[in-house]
Amino acid sequence: MLLRLYQVLLYLIQPIIWLRLLLRSRKSPAYRKRWGERYGFCAKKVTPGGILLHSVSVGETLAAIPLVRILRHHYPFLPITITTMTPTGSERVLSALGNDVNHVYLPYDLPGSMKRFLDHVNPKLVIIMETELWPNLITQLHQREIPLVIANARLSARSAAGYQKIGNFIKTILNKITLIAAQNQEDGERFIELGLRRSQLSVTGSLKFDISVTPELAAKAVTLRRQWAPHRPVWIATSTHDGEETIILDAHCKLLKQFPDLLLILVPRHPERFGKAAELTQKAGLNAILRSTGTIPDTNVQVVIGDTMGELMLLYGIADLAFVGGSLIERGGHNPLEAAAHAIPVIMGPHTFNFKDICAKLHKADGLITVTDSQSLSSAINSLLTDEDYRRYYGHHAAEVLHENQGALQRLLKLLEPYLPPRSH
């Protein structure tokens, strides 16, 4: 009954969804394109009979990339289709994996659209990153006897409480999932409380720890640092949102009084904020250039706006320390581990609930510094830039936490093996 009601509601809100896409397309024109994919029309864009992997947002897409690469290595004969929901996620997939995979948007969870989509893709295995519970998708996969694994799954207390309100419905949906690979025991137990059978649960750890700096990337970062700032201190502020850039630029202005040659790399979370960030930088009276121009910053440039896609790991590699955004405002923070991979100190605001477990580990090990405003941010950076030993101490501990918690990727791969044909060696 609830499934039927859910389907009716989804059909009724379609005009609102179209309006929302059009409104978003005013800032990001990509939202106006590929609407057919959102209703399962993707026949010539996918190769059927392989693995389907869904990652809803940029964060999940980045965590999925090492998994996709290892699957490509072990199962080169299987096509992989990656689905996302946003143009930004789409750009990340294309910039990181290019033609190695098929890529389309996952259609809205309408019965007809999902049926059309699954008829085209006809996957042997479906992997959903983190916790996206689409009732029609899950029901149709179950009917077709296609195994579904939720990988890197997390379930906050808040989300679990929301699901409890429709407990019987959620229990029915959960029991149609083949396997949930949870990030930690705590999240796993929340799934059990919602009605998941223990035999459907495995705790693998977080895939987000399974990143590394390749020798090629490290060499590229060294070259770029030599070009940009051979004798200048550099800090980076990444994944920033509306309300954060102002705080960061204010902190940078304060820091320039003590470190006149300090360079800031400012990387907004969403492409539609690139222009706004440049505007705010100008308003703060700072000289800025856009990374996309390929210009090498001279000594007069105080800010580089990171307005390119897929370069975050490279840009972290040329910084002495990093601030990770979405954390000074109530967005829940973004992934601090990409900075930790470069063994540089990580600074975040107080709002880190999206990465609660990871941030708790970093904090406990002295790998994360928490700030609340422009004053505490500039003060923390001042201490790190003034004292090299202090800076190395925090960077080393951040990297240590990353390395100590790796291994989820191999554990997950082992769990996926029974649902895939024998791998090639």
Side-chain angles (χ1 to χ4, degrees), residues 32-214:
R32 222 169 296 148
K33 297 168 186 170
R34 297 163 55 191
W35 280 27
E37 289 176 24
R38 297 189 184 275
Y39 292 92
F41 295 100
C42 59
K44 290 176 183 164
K45 297 179 180 180
V46 296
T47 311
I51 299 166
L52 169 64
L53 186 145
H54 175 62
S55 56
V56 69
S57 73
V58 174
E60 280 93 54
T61 303
L62 293 172
I65 287 165
L67 171 61
V68 173
R69 286 192 174 132
I70 205 166
L71 286 169
R72 291 278 305 130
H73 175 70
H74 288 310
Y75 304 96
F77 51 88
L78 280 181
I80 297 176
T81 297
I82 299 183
T83 57
T84 61
M85 296 298 280
T86 66
T88 316
S90 178
E91 281 162 15
R92 288 292 157 98
V93 170
L94 296 170
S95 67
L97 299 161
N99 296 327
D100 281 354
V101 296
N102 303 306
H103 166 67
V104 288
Y105 289 134
L106 184 76
Y108 296 125
D109 198 33
L110 300 161
S113 300
M114 272 306 168
K115 181 185 181 304
R116 192 180 301 116
F117 174 71
L118 290 173
D119 286 347
H120 291 321
V121 183
N122 189 24
K124 282 183 166 45
L125 168 69
V126 176
I127 303 165
I128 294 178
M129 296 297 290
E130 307 225 346
T131 313
E132 286 292 308
L133 300 179
W134 300 110
N136 286 317
L137 172 62
I138 292 167
T139 301
Q140 290 199 28
L141 290 172
H142 187 252
Q143 286 165 354
R144 292 169 189 239
E145 297 183 352
I146 296 168
L148 166 62
V149 176
I150 311 278
N152 215 38
R154 62 189 177 112
L155 185 64
S156 67
R158 193 172 156 193
S159 297
Y163 284 136
Q164 283 288 9
K165 291 170 185 168
I166 45 167
N168 288 338
F169 178 59
I170 286 299
K171 185 180 177 180
T172 308
I173 295 300
L174 286 175
N175 284 323
K176 290 175 180 172
I177 294 167
T178 313
L179 183 73
I180 289 183
Q183 290 188 22
N184 56 55
Q185 199 64 47
E186 200 184 344
D187 286 352
E189 291 306 319
R190 288 193 191 112
F191 283 110
I192 298 291
E193 282 163 28
L194 285 173
L196 187 78
R197 292 187 292 269
R198 212 162 273 279
S199 59
Q200 292 170 275
L201 177 73
S202 188
V203 177
T204 53
S206 173
L207 282 179
K208 288 191 164 84
F209 286 102
D210 283 279
I211 55 167
S212 59
V213 179
T214 63

